[in-house]
Amino acid sequence: MQTSKIETGTPEWHAQRRTGIGGSDCAAVLGLSKWKSPYQLYLEKIGEAEPEDETWEMMRGKAMEPLLRQHYADTTGQVVMLPDGAIRSDAYPFMIYNPDGLTEDRLQEFKTAAYGKEWGEAGSDEIPHEYLLQVQHGMIVTGRQVADVTVSIASNRPKYFVVQADPELQEIIVEAEAQFWRMVEDRTPPEPISNEDCARIYRAVSLGASTLATVDIQEALEELKALKAVAKRVETEEEALQVKIKAYMGECESLVDEGGKTLATWKLAKGAERIDAASLRKEQPSIAQRYTVIGEPNRRFLLK
């Protein structure tokens, strides 16, 4: 294993991340990330992604990491080592990893979470799939066969989870990441998997031409129309049920069962404050013009 010491969050650190696939990238490569698509990750790796600000959740996790690491060491009696920097796999040079810690025979990851619904019983391997893929990636790079994942949920006392190496899953990860990295090297972008991806790829491209729909695309159009019809029907039925319930509640703001449990509320919310743009343009056109921002052009999709 090769290591290189670079401070987290620096331009050098971001540049290093573009030299390979990290553990937190694994879910995105497989199209299983809640936060990032393969195409977004591709843009990051080729240096064309828009810079992202560090979120509160990221700052909280970074601040809590040393505390969780110390708690794990005090609780287990294990010595937790910090690598000099990112670890690069000898067998798969496109795979890199920044572990939160290493013990003699285990990989260590320290997490924070606002909610616990994706976490199972302490001691199990039931952790969010993004983290499961991350530590499997990490075990491939470090050669460890076990990973401990420590998490503080809603700032409560840490819980410990244990994940064993899964050879079959690791084989899938290596194959997928190798294919993704070839696409990065060849500058071949992944297929879009979301409307957001389509907007990024084609937002500035509109040739005004027509293209012939294949049988497959015609079937997709018919299926989309059918789904929209179902959604419209559900929306109509939903509104009718809301009207029935609201008419029954009348001026009351809560609906309860016989035991006093609240079933629904209908409260008066504060009115939204908006600038009267039309009046501003009419009465103060120069000021309106000064503060008018024109957004980027976008393409609107319509079914005919």
Side-chain angles (χ1 to χ4, degrees), residues 271-284:
E273 295 183 5
R274 299 185 182 90
I275 294 175
D276 187 344
S279 297
L280 181 62
R281 291 192 187 97
K282 182 178 179 181
E283 298 173 13
Q284 299 289 342

Side-chain angles (χ1 to χ4, degrees), residues 10 32 70 81 105 140 173 204 212 222 252 290:
T10 62
L32 297 174
Q70 189 62 53
M81 302 171 288
D105 61 348
I140 296 169
I173 289 171
L212 183 63
E222 292 305 315
C252 296
R290 187 187 310 167

Side-chain angles (χ1 to χ4, degrees), residues 207-247:
L207 303 178
S210 297
T211 184
L212 183 63
T214 63
V215 172
D216 180 56
I217 294 300
Q218 288 185 30
E219 290 176 352
L221 283 167
E222 292 305 315
E223 186 175 353
L224 179 58
K225 289 179 181 179
L227 287 173
K228 282 184 170 292
V230 171
K232 183 62 178 177
R233 186 166 63 250
V234 170
E235 182 182 341
T236 301
E237 293 174 359
E238 179 184 0
E239 183 178 2
L241 292 172
Q242 281 197 20
V243 169
K244 180 178 180 179
I245 296 168
K246 287 177 179 178

